[in-house]
Amino acid sequence: MFTDQEAYSKLKKFVGNFPDTLVVLGSGWNKVLDDIKIIERISYENIFGVKSSVPGHNGELVIGQIGEKRIAFMSGRFHTYEGYGAEEATTPVRVFAKSGIKNLIMTSAVGALNEKYKVGDFVILNDVITILQVLDNPLKGPKFIDMSQVFDGKLRQKAIDVSRKLNIRYREGIYIYYHGPNFESPADKRALRILGADVTGMSMIPEVIVARSLNLRILGLAFVTNLAFVKHDHKEVLREAEKAGKKMKNLILGLIKKING
Ligand code: HPA
C-alpha cells in the first residue's frame, strides 16, 4: 500500500477540489450509488496501490453530485482481517481528511447482539467499544485523544429525523469491533454482549479512532444483517443488505440533503 503522502499526491491528480463530506459504504451499502450522478470513479489501485478483495466491496472512490453538492463515496474499505495493519487500513481516512473532508459518514453491516434487535434494523451508533483494538491501534505515540463523544450529536439527530420522516425502523446503539475474518462463536457473542455492545462488525473502529484524532465530524450507521446467536454467512449478510438497498439509498440521500440544507 502507498504511503499517505504518495496516496495524497495520486489523489490530487484525479480530484482537484475535494468534497467536504465522505460516505464510506460498507458491505451491502453500495446501492446508495444507484441513482446518483457520478462525476468520477477512481479505483483504489490508482490511489492506494492496492485493490479491495472482499465480495460486495467495489474498491473505488466515487465522486457524485447530489443537488448542488459534490460528495465523495468510498465504495468498499480496507479491513484489518484482509491482513492490513490498523494504520494501513485507515490510510483513506487520513488522506481524505488532508484533502479536505470535514464530515465522515460511515456505514457497516453488523450482527445484532442486543436480543431486541431484528434483521433489517438500522442502527444510529451512539458509542463504540474500542478495547478489542488494543493490540493494533492505528494511532502511535502519545496521542491521548478525547473519545467522550465519538459520534457528532447534530449528525446523529439529523439521522434520527431523516429515519423518522422516511419511516425507517432504527435503533440507537453501541458498536464493538471484532477482528475476523471468522465470525464469532456463540460464546464470543455472549462475551461481546456482556461487554455492553448492541452490534458487532469487522470495521469502523480503526477509522473512528483516526477520524477523532483528526477532529472530523463522524456519523456511524449500521445495518443489522443477522442475529448474533443464529448461524449465518457472508452471502446472507449481502442478501439481507440487498433487500434494504432502497432504504439505505433514501437514508443517505436524505441525510446529505439535510446536512447541506
Ligand atoms: N459479526 C461480525 N461482523 C458482521 C456480522 C457479525 O455477525 N454480520 C455482519 N458483519
Side-chain angles (χ1 to χ4, degrees):
M1 186 180 273
F2 295 150
T3 63
D4 286 15
Q5 193 50 48
E6 286 164 341
Y8 179 71
S9 324
K10 300 263 178 207
L11 180 65
K12 271 250 163 247
K13 290 194 192 122
F14 294 107
V15 194
N17 190 9
F18 208 75
D20 68 3
T21 300
L22 171 69
V23 184
V24 181
L25 299 170
S27 289
W29 282 77
N30 231 36
K31 270 260 167 16
V32 167
L33 294 172
D34 275 4
D35 301 325
I36 289 178
K37 187 174 156 209
I38 308 283
I39 301 174
E40 194 133 27
R41 285 178 184 273
I42 310 147
S43 151
Y44 287 167
E45 221 177 343
N46 291 328
I47 310 172
F48 303 113
V50 282
K51 285 185 191 155
S52 168
S53 61
V54 185
H57 284 75
N58 283 3
E60 56 184 13
L61 172 73
V62 177
I63 309 291
Q65 178 97 27
I66 299 178
E68 298 289 293
K69 285 285 281 192
R70 284 157 70 250
I71 305 288
F73 294 89
M74 279 182 69
S75 174
R77 49 155 61 100
F78 301 109
H79 304 82
T80 45
Y81 66 72
E82 292 172 82
Y84 298 109
E87 197 172 350
E88 281 182 311
T90 50
T91 302
V93 178
R94 288 187 304 274
V95 170
F96 296 139
K98 191 171 156 74
S99 305
I101 61 153
K102 301 280 178 268
N103 302 310
L104 177 63
I105 301 176
M106 272 188 296
T107 66
S108 163
V110 290
L113 301 167
N114 184 321
E115 47 294 328
K116 295 199 180 113
Y117 286 19
K118 297 193 176 72
V119 171
D121 282 352
F122 283 81
V123 189
I124 299 167
L125 301 177
N126 57 15
D127 209 348
V128 288
I129 297 178
T130 65
I131 54 181
L132 296 183
Q133 197 68 60
V134 69
L135 292 177
D136 185 18
N137 194 299
L139 303 181
K140 306 280 179 271
K143 296 183 179 154
F144 306 119
I145 58 160
D146 175 47
M147 294 284 280
S148 59
Q149 202 192 12
V150 163
F151 297 109
D152 182 79
K154 286 192 187 133
L155 287 181
R156 276 170 51 203
Q157 189 55 51
K158 285 182 205 266
I160 291 170
D161 294 345
V162 174
S163 303
R164 286 202 179 130
K165 190 162 163 224
L166 295 175
N167 249 329
I168 290 175
R169 196 172 64 221
Y170 72 93
R171 315 269 182 176
E172 290 182 85
I174 298 172
Y175 183 110
I176 192 164
Y177 162 84
Y178 185 77
H179 185 287
N182 56 293
F183 283 119
E184 308 81 4
S185 67
D188 285 329
K189 289 196 159 153
R190 274 194 300 277
L192 297 176
R193 181 67 180 138
I194 288 167
L195 288 177
D198 296 298
V199 293
T200 179
M202 300 178 191
S203 61
M204 193 75 86
I205 303 303
E207 291 145 310
V208 158
I209 294 174
V210 170
R212 276 306 308 137
S213 77
L214 299 170
N215 268 323
L216 302 181
R217 281 186 291 270
I218 314 170
L219 178 68
L221 300 174
F223 178 76
V224 176
T225 54
N226 55 278
L227 299 179
F229 303 103
V230 178
K231 191 168 156 35
H232 56 86
D233 58 29
H234 188 62
K235 281 204 193 91
E236 179 189 342
V237 166
L238 295 180
R239 200 167 53 239
E240 286 304 327
E242 172 93 33
K243 281 195 226 158
K246 205 166 155 211
K247 280 189 193 162
M248 290 171 174
K249 188 173 70 190
N250 292 342
L251 175 60
I252 296 290
L253 293 189
L255 201 52
I256 284 169
K257 287 190 183 131
K258 191 141 185 121
I259 292 172
N260 296 306

